[in-house]
Structure formats: C-alpha cells, structure tokens
Amino acid sequence: MASVRAATVAEPVGDVTAVLGEGPYWVPEDDCLLWVDIHRGRLHRTYFPSGETATIDFGPVSAAFPAVGGGILTAGGSQLALHVPAERGERWATRVIAEVPPREGIRFNDAGVDPAGRVWVGSMHTEESEPLGELYRLDAGGTLTTIVKGVTVSNGLGWSPDGTQMYYADSPMRRIDMFDYDPATGEAFKRRVFVDLSAADGVPDGLTVDADGCVWVAFWGGGVLRRFAPDGTQDAVLPVPVSQPTSCAFGGPGLTDLYVTTASVGLSEAELKAQPLAGRLLRLRPGPVGLPSTTTYATLPV
C-alpha cells in the first residue's frame, strides 16, 4: 500500500473563490476538473495545466458529472438535469432527467457515479437538524429509487476498487458507513459502520477512494483530510490551510493529484483574514494515486 507523504503541501489552483465549493470530479479526456459553488449556483470547469476556469450559471447545483454521450449531468434542488452545449454560442440546452417532488427545506446535496456509471444522489435538510433527506439511485425510466431514508445531510459516496463495497457519509452522524454492493445491479445492502468519527475534530464531508482501496475524507471544521485503510484504521492525516475542506477527488496525469474543494461560508472577517485560501480549489500530491473508476462518466438509463 502506497504511503502518504507527510510533507505534502496544498497549493491553490486558478483564481476562483467559492462560497461553498463542492463536488470535484476529474474528466481525463479534457484534462478538466468539474466542481461547483452551491451557494452561487455555479459550475466551474478548471482546465490543466493552465488552471483557467470557465464558469456556467446553472441555478441550483450541488454536484456535476460528465455524461456518456456528451454533456454534463447536474444535481440541484430536486432535479437531475443534463446540460448539452448548443450548436452556436455559449448557450446550453437543458433537459430534466429525473426529479423528486420538491419539499420545503430539502434539497439535493452530494452525488456519485459508481464504477458502472450508475448515478446516486442524496438530499439534505437545509437546517441540518432533521432526518428528512434520502439517498436515491437513478434507475430505468428516470426513476429515483429511495435506498436510504432518514438522512440529515447526505454527503460523500465512494466505491472500493472491485466495486463490491460502497462508502457513505450522513455528516451529522459523524461516521462513515459501508454497504455490500452488487456492481451488476446497483443493489446496496448490509449497512454497517466503517469508521466511527465521533471523537475526531470536524465533521466528515465528501470522500473518495484511492487505488489501494483507502478512503479519503474531508473534515468540515477540522481543517484536514484523513485516509482510512480498507479495515477502517486511520492511515494518515493531511492538514490543509483552511478550516472547511468539503470534498476531494484524484485527477491529473496518472491520477496523482488530489484536488480539494473548500468553503468560505460562515467565516468571520478575522477567520477569512487568517484563511486567505478559504473557498479556493486546492491541489496536493500525497503519494497514493486515484482509481480510474472514480472518473467514470454518468450513464443515463433509458
């Protein structure tokens, strides 16, 4: 198992500052990282090696993925929508793929694509206090099938290298759970605790899985990324220069770069002054590399 470089330093990428940066997703064919600013309803596409960022105002958006057949699939509000560039100009054509009945105080949050291209999306209570959200799987006919009920803040999703385990974070529970997973059918079952994080500083937010099967978790309010081995033991802790890292994803050549989204929301003037990189996209080179399956395009079932 690849060891983590203890002296890894986070560096800012580009010049965009988000209020609530989230959802990094690497698109290898374009050398591009998709990520969103939830509070501003913006999708950012940061290209490498230049670091230049193209921004699209899509309205409600909390996650984004490249789609098989072209376009970008977004989760936002209570809808999954496919956005395809129009033939001329900078306009995009948008089509709703699936939706759930809107409920006051509930919105989609983090989402994920399994190694087979199957789409998962979770919802959250905007006040973060009531278990009124759900975790859904996108099935044939544009149906969002409820897999988990009683969710407060649905967050990180990830899969083991062989696709037979799914990792999941409902942040206020302060733990990462795992399910047995059937990659052929998308069935998730036998939920149990992967790692109890009740004693850790901060709250588990977004996550990703590396080529060794280790789970990387961003800790909102903790200012760190933590790496957990497949048996749930903590393998490494990497500090980042902000208190609110939100998620992480491997990308770059050979998937050697680890991109971290961050947030500036809720920070005082003094905290913002002390954390000039709050809200920025960060890059680390920790040693371990990412899984190719974490860059899978979303498949839209017919």
Side-chain angles (χ1 to χ4, degrees), residues 114-127:
D114 82 358
R118 198 175 285 107
V119 177
W120 288 70
V121 60
S123 58
M124 64 171 283
H125 181 233
T126 55
E127 297 298 322

Side-chain angles (χ1 to χ4, degrees), residues 199-271:
D201 290 335
V203 175
D205 202 324
L207 61 82
T208 193
V209 182
D210 67 23
D212 293 318
C214 294
V215 181
W216 293 77
V217 185
F219 276 75
W220 174 280
V224 299
L225 305 178
R226 297 179 187 270
R227 185 192 195 215
F228 298 95
D231 64 1
T233 58
Q234 182 171 285
D235 175 69
V237 180
L238 286 184
V240 291
V242 297
S243 61
Q244 297 176 162
T246 59
S247 193
C248 51
F250 284 93
L255 300 178
T256 59
D257 296 336
L258 183 61
Y259 294 100
V260 181
T261 48
T262 72
S264 59
V265 64
L267 298 180
S268 66
E269 289 188 15
E271 288 170 327

Side-chain angles (χ1 to χ4, degrees), residues 37-38 40-42 56-61:
D37 186 341
I38 295 177
R40 289 178 173 149
R42 294 175 179 171
I56 311 165
D57 291 313
F58 273 155
V61 59

Side-chain angles (χ1 to χ4, degrees), residues 114-115 159-166 179-184 291 293:
D114 82 358
W159 285 264
S160 61
D162 65 1
T164 63
Q165 307 291 334
M166 184 176 82
F179 296 77
D180 287 345
Y181 195 78
D182 185 342
L291 275 174
S293 62

Side-chain angles (χ1 to χ4, degrees), residues 32-266:
C32 169
L33 189 83
L34 302 179
W35 57 294
V36 303
D37 186 341
I38 295 177
H39 276 209
R40 289 178 173 149
R42 294 175 179 171
L43 170 68
H44 298 304
R45 293 176 294 164
T46 299
Y47 292 90
F48 295 86
S50 69
E52 294 181 2
T53 298
T55 298
I56 311 165
D57 291 313
F58 273 155
V61 59
S62 57
F65 310 101
V68 173
I72 297 172
L73 181 73
T74 63
S78 58
Q79 297 181 334
L80 293 178
L82 180 65
H83 310 271
V84 179
E87 292 184 3
R88 299 177 183 175
E90 298 297 322
R91 301 179 64 84
W92 291 69
T94 297
R95 175 167 60 95
V96 174
I97 298 299
E99 58 187 325
V100 295
R103 292 185 289 160
E104 185 175 355
I106 304 295
R107 67 163 174 82
F108 280 160
N109 194 43
D110 210 350
V113 177
D114 82 358
R118 198 175 285 107
V119 177
W120 288 70
V121 60
S123 58
M124 64 171 283
H125 181 233
T126 55
E127 297 298 322
E128 303 184 13
S129 59
E130 300 293 333
L132 301 175
E134 301 181 29
L135 178 63
Y136 304 92
R137 184 185 62 222
L138 178 61
D139 288 334
T143 299
L144 284 166
T145 303
T146 299
I147 305 300
V148 180
K149 292 186 176 181
V151 175
T152 303
V153 181
S154 190
N155 251 316
L157 284 161
W159 285 264
S160 61
D162 65 1
T164 63
Q165 307 291 334
M166 184 176 82
Y167 301 99
Y168 177 57
D170 179 355
S171 292
M173 296 181 73
R174 298 177 65 86
R175 71 187 196 215
I176 305 297
D177 286 351
M178 65 188 300
F179 296 77
D180 287 345
Y181 195 78
D182 185 342
T185 65
E187 293 297 323
F189 49 95
K190 196 180 176 182
R191 182 179 183 179
R192 68 258 191 210
V193 176
F194 171 61
V195 59
D196 183 345
L197 301 168
S198 56
D201 290 335
V203 175
D205 202 324
L207 61 82
T208 193
V209 182
D210 67 23
D212 293 318
C214 294
V215 181
W216 293 77
V217 185
F219 276 75
W220 174 280
V224 299
L225 305 178
R226 297 179 187 270
R227 185 192 195 215
F228 298 95
D231 64 1
T233 58
Q234 182 171 285
D235 175 69
V237 180
L238 286 184
V240 291
V242 297
S243 61
Q244 297 176 162
T246 59
S247 193
C248 51
F250 284 93
L255 300 178
T256 59
D257 296 336
L258 183 61
Y259 294 100
V260 181
T261 48
T262 72
S264 59
V265 64

